[in-house]
Amino acid sequence: MVERVFAMLLRVWPEAVRRRVGDELLETFRARLRERAKRPWGGAWFLVRELAGVALAGLVARRALREPVPVTRRGPMDAWLQDVRFALRALGRNPGFTAIVVLVLALGIGANTAIFSVLNVALLRPLPAVQPERLVTIRESNPEKGWEKEVAAPANMYDWREGVEAFEDVAAHTGGLFGTATLTGDGEPEIIRRVTVTGNVFSLLGARPQLGRTFREEETWSTEPRTAVLSDGFWTRRFGRDPDVLGRTIVLNGVSYEVVGIMPASFDFPAHDLDVWTTMGWDPASRDAAFFRRAHWIDVIARLEPGVTLTEADAQLQLVVRRLQEEYPETNRAMGAVMFPLQEFLTGDVRTPLLLLQAAVLLLLLVACANVGNLMLVRASARRRELAVRAALGAGRGRLARLVLTESLALAFWGGLVGVGLGLVTVRMLAGIMPPGLPPMDGFALDGRVAAFAAALTLLAGAAFGMIPALRLGRGLSDPLREGGRGGTAGRTTLRAGNLFVAAEVAVALILVLGAGLLVRSFAALRDVDPGFRTENRVTARVAPPGSRYDTADKVNIFFDALRERLAALPGVDGVGLVRALPLMARSFTSDFVVDGWAPDRFGVEVTNQSVSPDYFATMGIPLLSGRPLAETDRDDSEPVLLVNQALVRRYFAGEDPVGRRIAFTRTPTEESTWWRIVGVVGDVHQESPGRPPIIEVYKSHRQEASLGMAVVVASSRPFGDVVAALRGAVRELDADIPLADVRSLEDIYASSLRAERFLLTLMAGFAAIAMVLAALGIYGVASQAAKRRTQEIGIRVALGARRADVARLILRNALGPVGAGVVLGVAGGLAATRVMASVLFQTRPNDVVTFITVPVVLGLVALAATWLPARGATRVDPVTALRAE
């Protein structure tokens, strides 16, 4: 397609020159296009620059050789080229009009290009797999636990694999769980992103390495030798793309892995920023162990057999699920399974916000087209005498309509060209507020899909705002000649059409502003949520000693106690705390539980188990509500004790005092069960998100339940960099092979938890503001034209004694009429459109009364301001001058 356009543009060149160098130029362009296509942004700029350069060079060459554009052939293409040349000359004679139209269109098309570029990569780009449409993910559900789409148990996964004939193969990976590892050995220790997989993951996906090999099925159940596959980015960053890395050994968490392969840069499953893949390394004896079916921690993917539908595969899966419920009632009594297309599941979190933004920018483009349509109507009205002369000289209605439409398409082309550039720049600017779950910014490029989308929008926009002036050409073309150039009925018709455009753009702009207003209300409610802990002057980092050397609870506790003592002794440090899973960053493991004294059939589900140091609550500012805190004397040789949060008390101890009760983390306690005594109640913490209610949690002393990886929280008024340096130095003094991970302030963590909502709000508010400005300009333009065309009438009214206030009210009433109609249509459309926003709103109804009152009032005030200036100017008309003009 691009080469065809290039070849067509070569026709602009003088024929003699084209015969000598045309084929050579086309071949050179093909070679450079193949080279530039490898560069995401360079390719886009190359197309724009090269195509424009060919056309310009051809015109320059014709002028230098004094060779006119051939017009001897009067085929459709020649006539069209003649219309294009005339349109470009006409637009060049009106640079102000052209610049305004191009800018307005560029805003609409640029916004659409930017959002579609993100949507293209996040939702439309296929998975890095062979026949990705046959890939599904399987998640577990459990109504007793409140599960809908949760990770699976390995034993269940293997039963699905063996029992469902519709599956060609089934594999698993750990996804977001256990997603880091400590790399030691050559160079500085480093925290890297690692995912563990079953040995058949790469073969199931059909992914091939660029060097070496991928895993084998038997390596799933083998611990010696352990193998690893590197990502292209990690291979480049750490090993300088050295091919001899194959066969070398890397040390992850103190365990040696042999590098057997390197994946290509295009492979980024299951996440885009992975460094290393390793195999599960399960003990074969685990296949029949109880924990293998009780514990849930793997993401399951499957490939359907050719020709098998999702419905057929799901029917077979449910048969296996029911069989497992009967065979394993202890673990699978209420355990179900749900299946989704893998692409749909991976994009689930960002799908709705991105589709909302795409709908918003399409509305913005409608506002832009309505605005430009208004300008084109005014321009067509001013050119009616010229067009009437053309018609009198023999030009048919179709030729005139084509001329006007060509002009519109030329404007749309330049608007689209500038808009694509604005869109690509906008995508880069969005990098700072891009929410989690989206690919990295270097993945966004002007590929074929984005280019086709931008081209289609450009054509549709040009046709949309150019069609009405083109269709109106046949109405009274001889009037301007009979009336000596005065507008007559044509002026009134133009104003009526302009009023329709104003009503349309006000309605669409109001829908956009209503959506932005709802998001503002939602975000304000979200910001008012108390997270349950203090964020100011808190620095945190994750510390994970390697399990190969810290292989006992005593060794782990000795390390973390020494770290706490060193940090607490530093000047300016007000507190040091440890926690297994930091709020808003991660979630610890969950379990069922029973309370001593409950009926045999009563149990609690999904309580999150936290391991903390005794000073964690004081450091985080989490209040103790009753009982006593955890103490330094709570050790492994004393009675097991814990704290519970308010959410657990509300759910399971309503009207009771839980302090002193005993709790065991199982559904059916036995003599071997460990009973923990509740010694206190602490305040709730929003562990998952400020927009989600607090989960039920218990807090155990890290000395009674050690955790290999802990988040360290330091409360200090010292500068962030000083605290990080002190923390890094304290860890290095204890063990130089332990790096820090996730070094951040709690304020930054809290802000990041709202990043998706802020991203959606920022873009919607920006688009709504642009739409409101365009609507105001459209209102002002129509009001100005109306006032100008009624100059003589106003002069007569003033001469007959009309007050200036009456004149102003006349102009305002006529100008605000279509605005009122647009507001009514916009409110009605907003009531229907905002319903789709319910899933992204927090404590805000889609038909929020405050928003639906405030936004129309604000837009009405903007419209009043836009019409006041023309109305004010109309009151200053000199009646003598107006009557003399008559």
Side-chain angles (χ1 to χ4, degrees), residues 545-567:
S548 58
R549 288 189 288 115
Y550 294 83
D551 52 358
T552 66
D554 286 341
K555 292 180 181 179
V556 173
N557 287 331
I558 289 171
F559 170 81
F560 280 116
D561 284 342
L563 179 59
R564 287 170 55 210
E565 291 174 3
R566 288 174 183 267
L567 292 173

Side-chain angles (χ1 to χ4, degrees), residues 28 56 75 125 180 361 382 599 616 703 750 772 777 855-856 875:
T28 302
L56 182 62
R125 185 168 292 180
T180 62
V361 292
Y616 169 72
R703 291 198 181 95
Y750 178 72
M772 186 174 285
L777 292 176
V855 169
T875 62

Side-chain angles (χ1 to χ4, degrees), residues 834-847:
T834 53
R835 292 179 182 178
V836 300
M837 298 180 62
S839 61
V840 299
L841 297 177
F842 176 74
Q843 295 182 355
T844 304
R845 295 169 58 87
N847 57 352

Side-chain angles (χ1 to χ4, degrees), residues 609-624:
N609 290 251
Q610 288 278 31
S611 181
V612 300
S613 63
D615 46 8
Y616 169 72
F617 300 98
T619 303
M620 291 286 287
I622 302 173
L624 177 70

Side-chain angles (χ1 to χ4, degrees), residues 352-370:
T352 299
L354 288 181
L355 291 178
L356 279 176
L357 286 174
Q358 190 63 63
V361 292
L362 287 173
L363 291 177
L364 177 61
L365 183 60
L366 286 178
V367 175
C369 287

Side-chain angles (χ1 to χ4, degrees), residues 136-140 150-152 157 160-161 164 167 170 298-302 317 321 336-340 342 345:
V136 296
T137 185
I138 309 172
R139 307 285 282 187
E140 291 196 312
E150 293 295 334
V151 288
M157 182 267 288
W160 300 336
R161 182 183 183 183
V164 180
F167 293 153
V170 179
I298 60 169
D299 279 286
V300 179
I301 57 175
L317 175 65
V321 167
V338 289
M339 186 165 56
F340 307 90
L342 183 58
F345 178 78

